[in-house]
Amino acid sequence: MNVLEAMQNKILFFDGAMGTQLQARGIMPGELPELWNITHPDVIYDIHKAYLDAGCDILTTNTFGVNRLKFDTEGEYSVEKLICAAIQNAKKAASAYENKFVALDIGPCGKLLKPFGELDFEDAVSVFAEVVRIGTACGADLILIETMNDCYETKAAVLAAKENSDLPVFVTNVYDENMQLMTGAEPAAMVAMLEGLGVDALGVNCSLGPVQMLPVVRELCKFASVPVIVNPNAGLPVVADGKTVYDIDAVQFAEAIAEIVRIGARVVGGCCGTTPAHIEAAVAATKTIKLVEITKKKDTLVSSYKSAVMIDKKPVIIGERINPTGKKAFKEALRNNDIDYILGEGLKQQENGAHILDVNVGLPEIDECAVMCEAVKELQAIISLPLQIDTSDALTMERALRIYNGKALVNSVNGKQESMDMIFPLVKKYGGVVIALTLDEDGIPNTAEGRYKIAEKIYNCAKSYGIDGKDLIFDPLAMTVSADTDSALVTLGALKLISERLGCKTSLGVSNISFGLPQRELINSTFYAMALSAGLNAAILNPGSVEMMKTYHSFLTLSGMDENCAGYIDFASKHTFSADTAQAVGQNAADTTSGLQEAIVKGLKERASVCASDLLKSEKPLDIISKHIIPALDIVGKGFEDKTMFLPQLLMSAEASKAAFDAVKNAMQSMGDTQTKKGSIVLATVKGDIHDIGKNIVKVLLENYGFDVIDAGRDVPPEMVVALAQKHNAPLVGLSALMTTTVPSMQETIEALNQAMPACKVVVGGAVLTQEYADAIGADKYARDAMETVRYAEEIFGE
Amino acid sequence: MHISPVCTYAHSAQLNIDMGETLRYMGCGTQATEEIASLAARAIEAVQAAASCKACYMHCEIAFPQENVVDFGFMQIQSAGLYRHLKCCKSVYIFAATVGLEIDRLIFQYKHSSPSFALAVQAAGAAAVESYCDLLCAEVFEKEAEKQKRHTIPRFSAGYDDLSLEVQKQIVAALDCTRQIGLTLTDGCMMMPSKSVTAFVGISDIKMHTAEKCSACSNTECVFRKGSDL
């Protein structure tokens, strides 16, 4: 019998703490417990045996921290030897009992993943993969990925397990009293992602006692279709007379475990502080409890690093703005690899009320896969909304789904066999909810029944790949009503058939309906209202469109989905509010004759923008720059150099002047005029260094002074700096480093630049740098602060 | 020598983040304009909302086997500065504290769109973790010390004086920080989440006159040193 069969009709018990037991047997703080697998195998064996005697079914091997980041890859205590010894110790203990299982224990790798840490996602996968391969070869019965406090690292570990082993995969995460992981994920988000990845059981361990865990357990049981695992600490630690004790004893622990089992957990055990006595008491306390059936949940869930979005009765808005189609500025941003632009679009849509963001970066002349991956990585670092990966390229879809931190919405599949054979295997592997378009090799049927037939075909094909109907959202395609006056009705008819007969969710891109007609928003918003009324679950639209949002909010209110009409009132009040503010700011600006200069000096972003727009009515764009913006920047720059103004003021002024510049630039563009840039400067935080706030400050100021800054980012290898400098023929490169340990990497970069581009100058800065350091590593210039870099750049560019 | 197990200290109430400290970390001391003060106030509010305070610590007796070496029973550290600082103590608390990763996410979010706000959040985050450390020292260490009629002395962190950042590897391992509070180190021994502190708090028989941690540090050139002319 394997472990999956064993948990079909009984509660399975994990063991309790290993660390606590080792401490009781004399292990010192900071000593690596995993070494004891080889140095004290008898002790490890005794601990395992004590837990088996207490009644546990699954032993966890003493391998929590074993991986190549912490241990040697060769020698007496190599990763391989430690894992093999650990599994042997556990198997030896289990061999005297029947139906006991040995779980290869995998804890966090000890490094935070990018972008907050420095470990690359794929490197994390590879670190875990090695452990999985060794553990599987040594004969573990299952893999337990536990104590994970980062959703992203959890995904890396699960992928490593699934790609390198056929063993069952169990996963438990650490939630705090706010029911979140350290990196923010809520239980529903973890369930969505982990079930999408195909784990066999999931749950919670560590940090809390069993009593504090109850709310988390309820949430997990509410959403999970796989068995739920709960391994709490022995209680909450309290200090009494200089000693740590837990607030509850083994009997109280067991009572709480019984409650956890009654809620629906199928696998239970203990974490920090628990002992064989805890497990024994818990086994006894749960003996007579009737098993709670594990049911398949029907929720359509997508998730981000933080939360899950349920696609159901209450309609969901998918923001459509991250898409270059028909947007000149967006295309320009993509060509310049301007990820900030994409982030700006994302944040704006989040503010405007989108629930999910569509991400499409398809442009023929760029490397779509690379840009998509970068956009996904950057967006998911700062935006808590789930993403919809929108691409027709198979490789781009695969890479994006792999690195996505959560369960994504996949845009899209259709009824063509080729499309289904491309998309469904990816969804099966990485998880996801798929938008399914009702078209196939024969085109788009012009009847509701015809579109339903395609939906049915897609549904059945998904099933054959093991993908459930809850993970499909059908788009019955809105077609131009001016070309066929029945088209809206056909679409709505198909929508109803799909939801009635297949029980699946639906989505629409509504704006196509009005193509070729005047006042398109009127048709769009009315069609949207009709579709919502017909039961539409999601729509891809522009959340910045007031007309569409009016329809959305009033629909929610009228259909009983807006408690106390609060959402509608909030929307309505905000809308009026923003119009008033714009007016007020405008009036202020008109009152002040020297408004722009003052706004910049004081760092008032909105006011600077309004003042610049105002001045455009009477002055030429270039005059505004030379007579107002530059003098204002000079005041602030000099103030900073004279120490009468400080860094935050310098930055606020820079941001205000950028807002003014943007207004002027727009005017120039509409007049067909273009601003001439002073020249290119490449900026980078050197390899090994992930602290880049200083570099970003320098970037903002240089841009303000009209330089074209190519931002290479942080942790940048020398060859990439050289490549960018060559590509843009940059006369100046700026390098920053925060730590002494990365100064050698700065030197390497300078040497590489000197060799490849002898004429290129290098300016360096950063917390640890001094003039002496800069001289020693061969920099052309050491800049103490951002202003000094600006002055040096002006010198180099001959001003 | 006595070594306690690792304890944890969580703080769920809102942190008090000092405006003056935030401005000091922003690099503009007491001379803030109205706009700067309002920027700092918004940053403080954002950090308060995002902070998730967690700490872990242990208590152990210490010995001085030779000059400039401190023995903690399970590790020895060579540092003239730490040795000087702890010379008057028989035992020490070793702790790690963090205000969480969400502060880093805020900095990340604003570093491109509004570097001035990112800078202010950075400063408010630093003030927040210091304030949390003050709370931990006062609520736990000082109270425990008082029970034995002893006193805590100012905390001393890696990076002060000659105490190498490398020491944090041992602290993070001994306190099992990754598991207890989610704290990790980069290869260069920088902490992540970045608004975190590890430190030693000595327990002395004598009450020291100053509770000021800057006074314990020999880096008189530090721009953030309290009392320095900004």
Side-chain angles (χ1 to χ4, degrees), chain A residues 535-593:
Chain A
L536 183 73
N537 305 104
I540 177 158
L541 51 82
N542 175 8
S545 157
V546 177
E547 291 308 313
M548 298 301 273
M549 296 308 279
K550 275 180 185 168
T551 303
Y552 173 76
H553 286 288
S554 43
F555 172 80
L556 288 190
T557 305
L558 295 172
S559 45
M561 289 189 269
D562 183 10
E563 205 174 328
N564 299 327
C565 308
Y568 178 79
I569 293 169
D570 185 50
F571 169 74
S573 65
K574 264 192 198 143
H575 194 60
T576 336
F577 178 70
S578 62
D580 285 353
T581 335
Q583 216 174 5
V585 174
Q587 274 163 1
N588 270 346
D591 293 344
T592 335
T593 41

Side-chain angles (χ1 to χ4, degrees), chain B residues 76-222:
Chain B
Q76 289 197 344
I77 292 175
Q78 175 128 25
S79 156
L82 184 67
Y83 175 83
R84 246 190 337 266
H85 186 73
L86 293 179
K87 197 76 186 73
C88 60
C89 304
K90 291 196 181 70
S91 74
V92 68
Y93 280 97
I94 307 173
F95 79 86
T98 181
V99 291
L101 194 66
E102 290 311 299
I103 312 301
D104 290 292
R105 204 184 297 281
L106 275 178
I107 296 169
F108 232 79
Q109 180 174 339
Y110 288 101
K111 71 180 181 184
H112 296 297
S113 62
S114 177
S116 62
F117 192 62
L119 180 81
V121 169
Q122 175 108 328
V129 72
E130 289 297 331
S131 156
Y132 179 47
C133 291
D134 291 345
L135 203 67
L136 172 69
C137 291
E139 290 297 312
V140 183
F141 307 155
E142 185 63 36
K143 279 189 181 162
E144 283 294 317
E146 271 173 14
K147 282 184 196 163
Q148 280 132 38
K149 306 228 178 321
R150 293 196 172 128
H151 308 278
T152 58
I153 65 167
R155 53 182 178 268
F156 197 98
S157 290
Y160 288 15
D161 212 307
D162 68 339
L163 186 58
S164 152
L165 288 183
E166 291 280 317
V167 161
Q168 298 196 117
K169 284 187 185 163
Q170 286 163 280
I171 298 177
V172 166
L175 293 174
D176 200 6
C177 286
T178 307
R179 183 183 192 112
Q180 300 287 349
I181 62 170
L183 179 63
T184 60
L185 291 178
T186 67
D187 290 341
C189 281
M190 301 300 285
M191 286 181 283
M192 273 293 149
S194 68
K195 298 304 156 204
S196 304
V197 166
T198 63
F200 299 93
V201 176
I203 304 296
S204 161
D205 289 340
I206 319 148
K207 192 171 175 78
M208 302 218 338
H209 293 297
T210 173
E212 184 49 69
K213 65 185 185 317
C214 285
S215 64
C217 182
S218 67
N219 183 4
T220 51
E221 297 300 308
C222 175

Side-chain angles (χ1 to χ4, degrees), chain A residues 15 57 81 121 150 152 170 190 231 247 273 329 336 379 405 435 445 447 528 562 619 643 688 698 708 729 746 773 793:
Chain A
D15 49 12
D57 303 292
K81 289 196 173 121
F121 180 76
D150 176 8
Y152 208 25
F170 287 19
M190 290 313 296
N231 291 332
D247 63 340
N336 296 333
L379 283 164
N405 189 0
I435 302 281
T447 62
Y528 183 36
D562 183 10
E619 292 187 41
K643 296 200 166 72
V698 172
D708 186 17
N729 200 15
M746 190 176 252
Y773 247 145

Side-chain angles (χ1 to χ4, degrees), chain A residues 453-464:
Chain A
K453 282 277 178 243
I454 294 176
E456 194 178 37
K457 177 170 79 178
I458 297 172
Y459 180 91
N460 288 330
C461 181
K463 209 168 187 184
S464 73

Side-chain angles (χ1 to χ4, degrees), chain A residues 28-29 64 111 116 118 149 182-183 237 239 244 271-272 305 340 381 602 646 649 655 692 696 700 714 739, chain B residues 7-8 26-28 33 35-36 57 73-74 105 108 111-112 114-116 178-179 182 185-187 190 192:
Chain A
M28 294 302 261
F64 184 82
K111 292 273 175 199
F116 297 106
E118 57 190 348
N149 50 24
M182 179 194 70
T183 54
V239 182
T244 310
C271 200
C272 303
Y305 77 86
D340 283 3
K602 282 197 167 172
F646 301 94
Q649 284 161 293
E655 287 160 31
D692 62 349
N696 291 329
V700 174
R714 49 192 203 145
M739 304 182 293
Chain B
C7 304
T8 53
M26 281 167 78
C28 49
T33 61
E35 288 79 20
I36 299 293
Y57 60 91
F74 59 92
R105 204 184 297 281
F108 232 79
K111 71 180 181 184
H112 296 297
S114 177
S116 62
T178 307
R179 183 183 192 112
L185 291 178
T186 67
D187 290 341
M190 301 300 285
M192 273 293 149

Side-chain angles (χ1 to χ4, degrees), chain A residues 7-8 224-228 264-266 291-297:
Chain A
M7 68 179 169
Q8 292 283 320
S225 301
V226 298
V228 168
R266 184 56 64 93
L291 279 190
V292 176
E293 197 193 340
I294 300 163
T295 54
K296 292 275 168 224
K297 310 297 186 294

